[in-house]
Amino acid sequence: MKLKQLHAKSLLNLITPLLIIGLQNSSHAQETAAKEKEKTKQKAIAVDSSELLKKGNTWTYAVSVQIPNEVKFESTLRDEGEKTKTGMIYRFEEIQQSIGLTEVEALKRQAPQINVYIEDKLTKKQILEYREGSLLYYGTYNHDPKNPELKKGMISIKPVILFRGNSAVADKWSWTATGLPEFQFRVVDKDIEIEVHGKKYTADKIQMDQVMVGSKKIAQSKEIWFAKDIGIVKEREKSYVSNGKAIIKTLELKSFKNSPLIDKIK
């Protein structure tokens, strides 16, 4: 494009005005075609993402968090917790709801946003896509109730692939960025039956390890059970603290349906 424009200027005195118009029209046509191609590409992404993450899709999870005695934890949850020999267990409900496509400045386009509510309070907003059978995670905005429009968090142009639909058992992939831990993924099992809250699902099991750069120590590990056309039906997360102890968080899907958007934000 630039070469043609420079060439046209250098020959300005040697060609007729008609030819100049022809060159300009050709250049404009190429730019228009490029823009239309990009629009078509983005539209295809949006349509694909809308299948699993369409506006109104709502996942309701039962969540439990086990806190070891060694960890100081000040709970703001309504649940007072259950004391055990090894620590405390807190239980609550988490709702994840897609509000549909939203403009993401870092991506320079629209992408699905998933609002996360804990005990009916909006806590964070995740940017995800479901494309070509893969679930992509771009990042999270933390919700500030005093300034709801503030988008404070981290969004990466290069997404973390949480799930790959065309993967096979033992397949591996990873994600890393400068100054951040490496996220390593491995397919543990495919098309296995799992029962969650009385419902049976066919799911793939993914293992994720968050590895610290330098020490190579695993700071956090996750087991993810992903069911096609539904999403994550179960997730078990271990955040390691000391002496092999870990904070264990478990999510189990109670329901998945398309619902009116949650209007009340606290």
Side-chain angles (χ1 to χ4, degrees):
M1 181 74 70
K2 291 182 179 178
L3 288 176
K4 286 186 178 182
Q5 290 172 345
L6 288 172
H7 184 59
K9 289 179 181 179
S10 66
L11 296 179
L12 188 60
N13 297 323
L14 300 178
I15 56 181
T16 65
L18 183 61
L19 286 176
I20 293 175
I21 293 171
L23 286 171
Q24 290 175 338
N25 286 343
S26 175
S27 175
H28 178 71
Q30 289 176 0
E31 290 179 0
T32 301
K35 288 180 180 178
E36 288 301 320
K37 185 177 180 180
E38 181 63 21
K39 285 182 180 179
T40 301
K41 178 182 176 183
Q42 298 306 332
K43 185 177 180 181
I45 289 174
V47 169
D48 195 13
S49 293
S50 70
E51 295 303 316
L52 179 66
L53 305 177
K54 67 182 179 180
K55 186 176 181 179
N57 276 4
T58 304
W59 298 260
T60 301
Y61 293 95
V63 185
S64 67
V65 181
Q66 300 178 44
I67 310 292
N69 286 323
E70 293 83 354
V71 177
K72 291 183 179 180
F73 179 75
E74 294 184 5
S75 174
T76 58
L77 298 167
R78 289 195 292 262
D79 181 25
E80 295 181 357
E82 175 188 346
K83 188 172 180 58
T84 68
K85 291 182 180 180
T86 56
M88 294 289 292
I89 300 177
Y90 295 92
R91 297 178 176 85
F92 57 92
E93 185 175 86
E94 177 174 314
I95 295 176
Q96 300 182 13
Q97 184 176 61
S98 173
I99 66 167
L101 295 175
T102 186
E103 194 68 31
V104 182
E105 186 177 349
L107 301 180
K108 296 181 180 180
R109 60 177 173 82
Q110 292 186 328
Q113 177 179 306
I114 311 300
N115 285 352
V116 180
Y117 300 83
I118 293 178
E119 293 186 333
D120 300 325
K121 293 181 181 179
L122 179 60
T123 59
K124 56 188 177 181
K125 307 166 185 179
Q126 297 181 331
I127 304 300
L128 298 168
E129 280 185 340
Y130 188 59
R131 193 168 356 130
E132 296 177 355
S134 295
L135 184 63
L136 313 178
Y137 169 76
Y138 286 89
T140 299
Y141 298 120
N142 294 317
H143 175 65
D144 183 351
K146 294 181 180 179
N147 190 355
E149 299 304 316
L150 180 66
K151 292 187 175 180
K152 190 175 181 180
M154 191 190 81
I155 301 296
S156 172
I157 297 175
K158 177 186 174 185
V160 180
I161 304 174
L162 299 179
F163 168 78
R164 279 179 169 166
N166 60 355
S167 61
V169 173
D171 277 0
K172 297 179 181 180
W173 64 92
S174 63
W175 182 95
T176 189
T178 304
L180 295 177
E182 180 179 9
F183 292 83
Q184 300 176 350
F185 294 83
R186 177 172 58 90
V187 180
V188 178
D189 219 332
K190 296 281 293 184
D191 297 325
I192 59 172
E193 187 176 276
I194 179 173
E195 185 171 331
V196 183
H197 274 268
K199 296 181 181 179
K200 293 182 179 180
Y201 303 94
T202 299
D204 291 357
K205 184 179 179 182
I206 312 295
Q207 174 73 33
M208 185 278 284
D209 292 321
Q210 181 181 322
V211 182
M212 302 303 295
V213 178
S215 67
K216 300 300 181 182
K217 289 184 178 180
I218 297 176
Q220 186 184 85
S221 64
K222 278 187 183 182
E223 295 174 293
I224 303 168
W225 286 264
F226 189 96
K228 184 180 178 182
D229 300 327
I230 295 175
I232 295 173
V233 296
K234 184 175 180 178
E235 182 178 284
R236 191 167 186 262
E237 172 188 290
K238 291 183 179 180
S239 298
Y240 298 98
V241 286
S242 61
N243 300 323
K245 301 288 185 179
I247 298 172
I248 302 175
K249 180 181 178 182
T250 304
L251 284 83
E252 294 186 319
L253 185 67
K254 293 172 63 179
S255 68
F256 169 61
K257 58 185 177 180
N258 191 268
S259 305
L261 293 185
I262 299 172
D263 294 324
K264 193 172 183 180
I265 297 178
K266 300 177 182 179

